[in-house]
Amino acid sequence: MRKKHIKKIMIFIGILILFMVLNNTNFFSGKSEHQPLLLAHRGMAQTFDISKVSNDTCTAEMIYKPEHSYLENTIPSMEAAFKEGANMVELDIKPTKDGQFAVFHDWTLDCRTDVEGTTMDYSMDELKKVDIGYGYTYDNGKTFPFRGKGIGLMPSLDEVLSYFPEKSFLIHIKSDDAKEGEQLAKILSKLPEDRLRLLTVYGGDKPIETLNEKLPSIRVMSKGTMKSCLIPYILTGWTGYVPGTCENTELHIPEKIALFFWGWSGKFIERMEKSNARIVIVAGDGGFSEGFDSKSDLNRLPANYQGWIWTNRIDVIAPAFQNKHTE
């Protein structure tokens, strides 16, 4: 009797394992006609060695020799990114003294501009007089190729959304201040629903939670929303079940851990998209905005990958990607 009991348990375990494998394999998936979509980090930007970046690094002081004239987080750089083939542009926002949001990355203005302090020390009109190209150098300060060329280029969030009324953006709240989530909610709540569907917001847990409470229809992402979706999925995803916490979110999946998610990549993405969750693959372990930035990087993508690709080099990846899929 004991042997029969053990045999039944072994058969059950075998059937369960077979179900888990078949339910999550991509082996039988046909070739998809849906191509990956491209997310351009900060638009068309100057580049630098990401491996040397830490929390307080002034990246403007360590750029490579410029290959183009565009500066990150500006309307010309976003326009260039979209023309290259970006499906979405990521931008950073910082609050101003007069209650607006400036599109700017750094915690302070000291690094790349000709003034000091933070955006909160200035009105948006005052920030329009700032030279955002002032601090850029590729030769340790011998020359400053963009000095004097960045005056008037810092846009407000309102300007960007008005200039690109039908384009998709990923808006980055740079802080963990709940007040910024509330402020952004007031601005975005004035937009029609069809415009909101083209916007996603990510940032610290507190502002994202506040924004989501005030404006539940907009797609969001934070460390908190990522954990609340992916940890339960790791535990139950083998069944095909997607937790309700994944709904209407964005998930940035580092390629080094992507294989740990049930059904990666095809079935995983298909399941998440049914919950209106967007999947963006980022390079390496996802630290400091690592992206797929060279032609060879595309070879690391899963076969028939159908999600979004995070890139710092839309000017390289968009043409390379198009060539790759027209061969």
PDB file of all heavy atoms in Angstrom, residues 22 150 155:
ATOM      1  N   LEU A  22       4.578  23.029 -19.788  1.00  0.00           N
ATOM      2  CA  LEU A  22       3.773  23.304 -20.977  1.00  0.00           C
ATOM      3  C   LEU A  22       3.028  24.627 -20.873  1.00  0.00           C
ATOM      4  O   LEU A  22       2.837  25.323 -21.871  1.00  0.00           O
ATOM      5  CB  LEU A  22       2.775  22.164 -21.202  1.00  0.00           C
ATOM      6  CG  LEU A  22       3.382  20.812 -21.585  1.00  0.00           C
ATOM      7  CD1 LEU A  22       2.288  19.751 -21.724  1.00  0.00           C
ATOM      8  CD2 LEU A  22       4.176  20.918 -22.882  1.00  0.00           C
ATOM      9  N   GLY A 150      22.485  76.447 -24.833  1.00  0.00           N
ATOM     10  CA  GLY A 150      21.350  75.832 -24.150  1.00  0.00           C
ATOM     11  C   GLY A 150      20.404  76.817 -23.498  1.00  0.00           C
ATOM     12  O   GLY A 150      19.514  76.411 -22.748  1.00  0.00           O
ATOM     13  N   PRO A 155      12.433  73.079 -20.988  1.00  0.00           N
ATOM     14  CA  PRO A 155      10.983  73.245 -21.143  1.00  0.00           C
ATOM     15  C   PRO A 155      10.232  72.942 -19.864  1.00  0.00           C
ATOM     16  O   PRO A 155      10.754  72.302 -18.942  1.00  0.00           O
ATOM     17  CB  PRO A 155      10.648  72.210 -22.218  1.00  0.00           C
ATOM     18  CG  PRO A 155      11.607  71.092 -21.942  1.00  0.00           C
ATOM     19  CD  PRO A 155      12.881  71.746 -21.430  1.00  0.00           C
TER      20      PRO A 155
END
